[in-house]
Amino acid sequence: MILTPDEIAQTLSFGPWPPETRPDISNKASGHEAAIALGAALFTDTILSADGRFTCASCHDPAQGFTVRLSRAAGRKVLDRNSPSLWNLSGLRWFGWGGKSDNLWAASLHPIIAELEMAHTADSWASALSTSRYTPEFETIFGPIAEQPPQTVLVNTAKTLAAYQETLVTNATPFDVFRDALERDDLVAAARYSEGAQRGLQFFLGRGNCNICHSGPRFSNNEFHDAGVPYFLDTTTVDPGRFQGLKLLQSSPYTLAGEWNDDDDNSGAWAVQSVRQTHADFGTFRTPSLRGVAETAPYMHNGSLTDLAAVVRHYNEIDLERMHAEGEAILLPLNMTEIEMSDLVEFIESLSELPK
Ligand code: HEC
Ligand code: HEC
């Protein structure tokens, strides 16, 4: 065992996996079989796009880790950002690279009405749904379409998509097998985890400081940081990240503080009600989970890094000149050796399932 007792204690904090999940009380469809089945069917149906060109899977392909191999997503035009994977979203506080949603059904609703994505309106969607083969299932769950305002039909649809996505949980990985063996004190089983990955884990916890942001069972604190990725979209425009996300969040009718939260106490609303936009939010993005990440290249909010070796090189050579003045002093150039870099990649790869 090359890990110290302290490193072992830190390693245990990345599990157990999968975490216990509870139904989303803001979504009355959460956990309901019929809603999950309807959401799954709609996810891959072009009916969700006004011109019949896209499905959710066009940008979040189940066969490609619920993303696609493009740097920036292709909608009716090239979008500003990379399609995030949709694994393990249940229970998060913020959604989207800039956190423009505080719940999963709102994050599922935005693409339906976004001009550059599915481009529906509440009216066009309610009318498409009412003449589709999905009418009976939808009405069994939510009641007659004709008796719901179109906006309610839209929100209810998004709630079935969210119910489906809540079921997308990655399987245990070689890392989890190692972690669970450590918890049982089974050093024989733990020794089957490669030494390279163990050294990579030590670097991740130690000199790399990676676990400051990539923490907990999802390997993400789900908060917003500047990881040194340039945020210019072209020579004149930038992606403001969390700065813009907060503005969109606070002007959205679809937050936990709004009328569509199915929980009578509007629990969870405190988060959107207490966040304030500050200049330090500019150019920060949500820390991505590292589970399943081996399958979801290219990386970062703009898909600018092609593989995990490029991500590690990025952290190794981080450009402090480019970082925020008021940014965190966590990231520093790491001066890694080639072996340290390949060990770190090996560790990150062990957070994904072995290919079958
Ligand atoms: C044209 C490509 C495209 C289509 C079509 C699309 N998405 Fe996305 N999706 C994206 C991009 C890009 C983002 C990141 C957006 C952001 O950061 O604001 C995203 C973000 C998300 C998120 C937030 C994920 C996270 O990690 O926080 C969810 C959930 C989601 N999409 C679900 C859906 C659903 C459901 C559909 C179908 C109704 C859909 N998407 C259709 C490109 C797409
Ligand atoms: C200050 C917080 C922070 C620290 C420390 C940090 N990261 Fe990140 N990480 C992020 C953020 C934020 C992003 C997304 C940045 C963006 O898209 O602009 C990210 C992106 C990534 C990605 C790409 C994931 C994807 O799906 O695109 C990988 C892999 C990664 N980090 C690994 C590491 C490793 C390895 C270390 C340590 C050397 C590390 N991170 C240290 C916050 C951090």
Side-chain angles (χ1 to χ4, degrees), residues 262-301:
D262 291 328
D263 177 45
D264 292 337
D265 297 333
N266 269 17
S267 54
W270 63 269
V272 52
Q273 284 162 342
S274 57
V275 281
R276 295 283 172 275
Q277 201 185 35
T278 73
H279 192 71
D281 297 316
F282 207 87
T284 64
F285 296 89
R286 204 185 82 214
T287 308
S289 167
L290 300 182
R291 288 202 173 258
V293 82
E295 283 180 72
T296 60
Y299 300 110
M300 305 308 197
H301 71 273

Short mmCIF file of all heavy atoms in Angstrom, two decimals, residues 262-301:
data_model
loop_
_atom_site.label_atom_id
_atom_site.label_comp_id
_atom_site.label_asym_id
_atom_site.label_seq_id
_atom_site.Cartn_x
_atom_site.Cartn_y
_atom_site.Cartn_z
N ASP A 262 -43.11 21.94 -7.37
CA ASP A 262 -44.24 21.15 -6.87
C ASP A 262 -44.23 20.98 -5.35
O ASP A 262 -45.18 20.43 -4.79
CB ASP A 262 -44.25 19.76 -7.53
CG ASP A 262 -44.60 19.85 -9.00
OD1 ASP A 262 -45.37 20.76 -9.38
OD2 ASP A 262 -44.09 19.02 -9.79
N ASP A 263 -43.17 21.42 -4.69
CA ASP A 263 -43.13 21.33 -3.24
C ASP A 263 -43.83 22.55 -2.64
O ASP A 263 -43.47 23.68 -2.96
CB ASP A 263 -41.68 21.26 -2.76
CG ASP A 263 -41.59 21.25 -1.25
OD1 ASP A 263 -42.38 20.51 -0.64
OD2 ASP A 263 -40.76 22.00 -0.69
N ASP A 264 -44.83 22.32 -1.82
CA ASP A 264 -45.63 23.42 -1.27
C ASP A 264 -44.78 24.42 -0.49
O ASP A 264 -45.08 25.60 -0.44
CB ASP A 264 -46.73 22.89 -0.35
CG ASP A 264 -47.78 22.11 -1.14
OD1 ASP A 264 -47.87 22.37 -2.38
OD2 ASP A 264 -48.47 21.26 -0.56
N ASP A 265 -43.71 23.93 0.14
CA ASP A 265 -42.86 24.83 0.92
C ASP A 265 -41.80 25.51 0.07
O ASP A 265 -40.94 26.22 0.59
CB ASP A 265 -42.16 24.06 2.04
CG ASP A 265 -43.16 23.47 3.02
OD1 ASP A 265 -44.26 24.06 3.14
OD2 ASP A 265 -42.86 22.42 3.64
N ASN A 266 -41.82 25.26 -1.25
CA ASN A 266 -40.76 25.79 -2.13
C ASN A 266 -39.37 25.54 -1.56
O ASN A 266 -38.51 26.42 -1.60
CB ASN A 266 -40.95 27.29 -2.38
CG ASN A 266 -41.82 27.54 -3.62
OD1 ASN A 266 -42.52 26.62 -4.08
ND2 ASN A 266 -41.76 28.73 -4.16
N SER A 267 -39.16 24.36 -1.02
CA SER A 267 -37.84 24.13 -0.43
C SER A 267 -36.80 24.14 -1.55
O SER A 267 -37.07 23.77 -2.68
CB SER A 267 -37.80 22.83 0.37
OG SER A 267 -38.22 21.77 -0.44
N GLY A 268 -35.62 24.59 -1.23
CA GLY A 268 -34.57 24.74 -2.23
C GLY A 268 -34.53 26.15 -2.80
O GLY A 268 -33.54 26.55 -3.42
N ALA A 269 -35.61 26.93 -2.59
CA ALA A 269 -35.67 28.27 -3.18
C ALA A 269 -34.63 29.21 -2.58
O ALA A 269 -34.22 30.18 -3.22
CB ALA A 269 -37.07 28.86 -3.00
N TRP A 270 -34.18 28.91 -1.36
CA TRP A 270 -33.22 29.80 -0.71
C TRP A 270 -31.97 30.03 -1.56
O TRP A 270 -31.41 31.12 -1.55
CB TRP A 270 -32.82 29.24 0.66
CG TRP A 270 -32.11 27.92 0.57
CD1 TRP A 270 -32.68 26.68 0.60
CD2 TRP A 270 -30.71 27.71 0.38
NE1 TRP A 270 -31.73 25.71 0.44
CE2 TRP A 270 -30.51 26.32 0.30
CE3 TRP A 270 -29.61 28.56 0.26
CZ2 TRP A 270 -29.25 25.75 0.11
CZ3 TRP A 270 -28.35 27.99 0.07
CH2 TRP A 270 -28.18 26.59 0.00
N ALA A 271 -31.56 29.01 -2.33
CA ALA A 271 -30.29 29.16 -3.08
C ALA A 271 -30.41 30.25 -4.13
O ALA A 271 -29.60 31.18 -4.16
CB ALA A 271 -29.89 27.82 -3.70
N VAL A 272 -31.46 30.16 -4.98
CA VAL A 272 -31.62 31.20 -6.00
C VAL A 272 -31.91 32.55 -5.37
O VAL A 272 -31.51 33.60 -5.88
CB VAL A 272 -32.69 30.81 -7.05
CG1 VAL A 272 -34.00 30.40 -6.42
CG2 VAL A 272 -32.95 31.95 -8.04
N GLN A 273 -32.57 32.53 -4.22
CA GLN A 273 -32.90 33.81 -3.57
C GLN A 273 -31.69 34.46 -2.91
O GLN A 273 -31.69 35.65 -2.65
CB GLN A 273 -34.02 33.61 -2.54
CG GLN A 273 -35.37 33.45 -3.23
CD GLN A 273 -36.43 32.82 -2.34
OE1 GLN A 273 -36.12 32.20 -1.32
NE2 GLN A 273 -37.69 32.96 -2.75
N SER A 274 -30.66 33.67 -2.62
CA SER A 274 -29.54 34.27 -1.89
C SER A 274 -28.31 34.54 -2.75
O SER A 274 -27.44 35.29 -2.33
CB SER A 274 -29.16 33.40 -0.69
OG SER A 274 -28.85 32.10 -1.14
N VAL A 275 -28.24 33.97 -3.97
CA VAL A 275 -27.03 34.23 -4.78
C VAL A 275 -27.06 35.66 -5.33
O VAL A 275 -28.12 36.20 -5.64
CB VAL A 275 -26.86 33.23 -5.95
CG1 VAL A 275 -26.28 31.92 -5.47
CG2 VAL A 275 -28.16 33.02 -6.70
N ARG A 276 -25.87 36.26 -5.41
CA ARG A 276 -25.73 37.62 -5.95
C ARG A 276 -24.61 37.61 -6.97
O ARG A 276 -23.56 37.05 -6.72
CB ARG A 276 -25.35 38.62 -4.84
CG ARG A 276 -26.42 38.83 -3.77
CD ARG A 276 -27.56 39.74 -4.24
NE ARG A 276 -28.65 39.77 -3.28
CZ ARG A 276 -29.64 38.87 -3.23
NH1 ARG A 276 -29.69 37.87 -4.08
NH2 ARG A 276 -30.60 38.96 -2.33
N GLN A 277 -24.85 38.29 -8.09
CA GLN A 277 -23.83 38.38 -9.12
C GLN A 277 -22.69 39.30 -8.66
O GLN A 277 -22.95 40.39 -8.18
CB GLN A 277 -24.53 39.00 -10.34
CG GLN A 277 -23.89 38.77 -11.65
CD GLN A 277 -24.62 39.54 -12.74
OE1 GLN A 277 -25.13 40.64 -12.51
NE2 GLN A 277 -24.68 38.97 -13.92
N THR A 278 -21.45 38.83 -8.78
CA THR A 278 -20.33 39.72 -8.49
C THR A 278 -19.33 39.62 -9.64
O THR A 278 -19.38 38.68 -10.43
CB THR A 278 -19.57 39.34 -7.19
OG1 THR A 278 -18.81 38.14 -7.46
CG2 THR A 278 -20.50 39.12 -6.03
N HIS A 279 -18.41 40.57 -9.70
CA HIS A 279 -17.48 40.57 -10.81
C HIS A 279 -16.64 39.30 -10.84
O HIS A 279 -16.23 38.82 -11.91
CB HIS A 279 -16.59 41.81 -10.77
CG HIS A 279 -15.83 41.97 -12.05
ND1 HIS A 279 -16.44 42.35 -13.22
CD2 HIS A 279 -14.54 41.71 -12.36
CE1 HIS A 279 -15.56 42.34 -14.20
NE2 HIS A 279 -14.39 41.96 -13.71
N ALA A 280 -16.39 38.70 -9.67
CA ALA A 280 -15.56 37.50 -9.61
C ALA A 280 -16.22 36.29 -10.29
O ALA A 280 -15.57 35.30 -10.57
CB ALA A 280 -15.25 37.16 -8.15
N ASP A 281 -17.54 36.39 -10.59
CA ASP A 281 -18.22 35.29 -11.28
C ASP A 281 -17.88 35.26 -12.76
O ASP A 281 -18.15 34.28 -13.45
CB ASP A 281 -19.74 35.43 -11.15
CG ASP A 281 -20.21 35.35 -9.72
OD1 ASP A 281 -19.72 34.46 -9.00
OD2 ASP A 281 -21.05 36.18 -9.31
N PHE A 282 -17.31 36.35 -13.25
CA PHE A 282 -17.03 36.45 -14.68
C PHE A 282 -16.04 35.37 -15.12
O PHE A 282 -14.99 35.21 -14.52
CB PHE A 282 -16.47 37.84 -14.99
CG PHE A 282 -16.76 38.25 -16.40
CD1 PHE A 282 -17.95 38.89 -16.71
CD2 PHE A 282 -15.86 37.97 -17.41
CE1 PHE A 282 -18.24 39.25 -18.02
CE2 PHE A 282 -16.14 38.33 -18.72
CZ PHE A 282 -17.33 38.97 -19.03
N GLY A 283 -16.40 34.62 -16.16
CA GLY A 283 -15.49 33.61 -16.69
C GLY A 283 -15.28 32.41 -15.79
O GLY A 283 -14.31 31.68 -15.94
N THR A 284 -16.22 32.20 -14.85
CA THR A 284 -16.14 30.96 -14.06
C THR A 284 -17.19 29.98 -14.58
O THR A 284 -18.24 30.39 -15.09
CB THR A 284 -16.35 31.20 -12.55
OG1 THR A 284 -17.68 31.67 -12.32
CG2 THR A 284 -15.35 32.20 -11.99
N PHE A 285 -16.89 28.69 -14.45
CA PHE A 285 -17.76 27.63 -14.96
C PHE A 285 -17.90 26.55 -13.90
O PHE A 285 -17.05 26.43 -13.02
CB PHE A 285 -17.15 27.06 -16.26
CG PHE A 285 -17.10 28.09 -17.36
CD1 PHE A 285 -15.99 28.93 -17.48
CD2 PHE A 285 -18.18 28.28 -18.20
CE1 PHE A 285 -15.96 29.93 -18.46
CE2 PHE A 285 -18.16 29.27 -19.18
CZ PHE A 285 -17.05 30.09 -19.31
N ARG A 286 -18.99 25.77 -14.01
CA ARG A 286 -19.23 24.76 -12.98
C ARG A 286 -18.20 23.63 -13.07
O ARG A 286 -17.94 23.12 -14.15
CB ARG A 286 -20.64 24.18 -13.13
CG ARG A 286 -21.17 23.58 -11.84
CD ARG A 286 -22.51 22.92 -12.07
NE ARG A 286 -22.31 21.60 -12.61
CZ ARG A 286 -23.13 21.01 -13.49
NH1 ARG A 286 -24.19 21.62 -13.93
NH2 ARG A 286 -22.87 19.81 -13.92
N THR A 287 -17.66 23.24 -11.95
CA THR A 287 -16.69 22.13 -11.94
C THR A 287 -17.38 20.88 -12.46
O THR A 287 -18.37 20.43 -11.88
CB THR A 287 -16.20 21.85 -10.51
OG1 THR A 287 -15.72 23.06 -9.92
CG2 THR A 287 -15.11 20.80 -10.51
N PRO A 288 -16.88 20.29 -13.56
CA PRO A 288 -17.52 19.07 -14.06
C PRO A 288 -17.18 17.87 -13.17
O PRO A 288 -16.11 17.82 -12.56
CB PRO A 288 -16.91 18.87 -15.46
CG PRO A 288 -15.98 20.01 -15.70
CD PRO A 288 -15.75 20.71 -14.40
N SER A 289 -18.10 16.92 -13.12
CA SER A 289 -17.82 15.64 -12.48
C SER A 289 -16.75 14.92 -13.29
O SER A 289 -16.65 15.11 -14.50
CB SER A 289 -19.10 14.81 -12.47
OG SER A 289 -18.80 13.47 -12.13
N LEU A 290 -15.92 14.10 -12.63
CA LEU A 290 -14.93 13.33 -13.39
C LEU A 290 -15.38 11.89 -13.61
O LEU A 290 -14.67 11.10 -14.21
CB LEU A 290 -13.57 13.39 -12.70
CG LEU A 290 -12.98 14.80 -12.53
CD1 LEU A 290 -11.60 14.74 -11.88
CD2 LEU A 290 -12.91 15.55 -13.86
N ARG A 291 -16.56 11.53 -13.13
CA ARG A 291 -17.05 10.15 -13.37
C ARG A 291 -17.44 9.98 -14.83
O ARG A 291 -18.17 10.80 -15.37
CB ARG A 291 -18.24 9.86 -12.47
CG ARG A 291 -17.80 9.71 -11.02
CD ARG A 291 -18.81 8.92 -10.22
NE ARG A 291 -18.26 8.67 -8.90
CZ ARG A 291 -17.72 7.51 -8.51
NH1 ARG A 291 -17.71 6.48 -9.33
NH2 ARG A 291 -17.21 7.38 -7.30
N GLY A 292 -16.92 8.92 -15.43
CA GLY A 292 -17.26 8.64 -16.83
C GLY A 292 -16.54 9.55 -17.81
O GLY A 292 -16.80 9.52 -19.01
N VAL A 293 -15.59 10.36 -17.32
CA VAL A 293 -15.01 11.41 -18.15
C VAL A 293 -14.14 10.83 -19.29
O VAL A 293 -13.97 11.49 -20.32
CB VAL A 293 -14.24 12.42 -17.25
CG1 VAL A 293 -12.85 11.93 -16.90
CG2 VAL A 293 -14.21 13.80 -17.85
N ALA A 294 -13.66 9.59 -19.11
CA ALA A 294 -12.83 9.01 -20.18
C ALA A 294 -13.63 8.87 -21.48
O ALA A 294 -13.05 8.80 -22.57
CB ALA A 294 -12.28 7.65 -19.74
N GLU A 295 -14.95 8.84 -21.37
CA GLU A 295 -15.79 8.65 -22.56
C GLU A 295 -16.27 9.94 -23.19
O GLU A 295 -17.03 9.90 -24.15
CB GLU A 295 -17.09 7.92 -22.14
CG GLU A 295 -16.98 6.47 -21.90
CD GLU A 295 -18.37 5.97 -21.51
OE1 GLU A 295 -19.25 5.92 -22.40
OE2 GLU A 295 -18.57 5.68 -20.32
N THR A 296 -15.94 11.12 -22.60
CA THR A 296 -16.66 12.31 -23.02
C THR A 296 -15.78 13.42 -23.59
O THR A 296 -16.11 14.60 -23.50
CB THR A 296 -17.50 12.88 -21.86
OG1 THR A 296 -16.62 13.22 -20.78
CG2 THR A 296 -18.54 11.89 -21.37
N ALA A 297 -14.65 13.05 -24.21
CA ALA A 297 -13.82 14.06 -24.89
C ALA A 297 -14.65 14.69 -26.01
O ALA A 297 -15.58 14.04 -26.52
CB ALA A 297 -12.58 13.38 -25.48
N PRO A 298 -14.36 15.91 -26.45
CA PRO A 298 -13.36 16.83 -25.90
C PRO A 298 -13.82 17.52 -24.62
O PRO A 298 -14.99 17.44 -24.27
CB PRO A 298 -13.19 17.84 -27.04
CG PRO A 298 -14.52 17.88 -27.72
CD PRO A 298 -15.05 16.47 -27.61
N TYR A 299 -12.89 18.18 -23.94
CA TYR A 299 -13.13 18.66 -22.57
C TYR A 299 -13.20 20.18 -22.45
O TYR A 299 -12.77 20.91 -23.31
CB TYR A 299 -12.00 18.14 -21.67
CG TYR A 299 -12.00 16.63 -21.67
CD1 TYR A 299 -10.98 15.92 -22.29
CD2 TYR A 299 -13.07 15.92 -21.13
CE1 TYR A 299 -11.00 14.52 -22.33
CE2 TYR A 299 -13.11 14.53 -21.17
CZ TYR A 299 -12.07 13.84 -21.77
OH TYR A 299 -12.11 12.48 -21.82
N MET A 300 -13.71 20.59 -21.32
CA MET A 300 -13.90 21.99 -20.88
C MET A 300 -15.16 22.58 -21.50
O MET A 300 -15.73 22.01 -22.41
CB MET A 300 -12.66 22.86 -21.15
CG MET A 300 -11.38 22.30 -20.56
SD MET A 300 -11.60 21.94 -18.80
CE MET A 300 -9.93 21.81 -18.20
N HIS A 301 -15.58 23.75 -20.98
CA HIS A 301 -16.87 24.32 -21.37
C HIS A 301 -16.95 24.60 -22.87
O HIS A 301 -18.03 24.65 -23.43
CB HIS A 301 -17.15 25.61 -20.58
CG HIS A 301 -16.29 26.77 -20.98
ND1 HIS A 301 -15.05 27.01 -20.44
CD2 HIS A 301 -16.49 27.75 -21.90
CE1 HIS A 301 -14.53 28.09 -21.00
NE2 HIS A 301 -15.38 28.56 -21.89
#
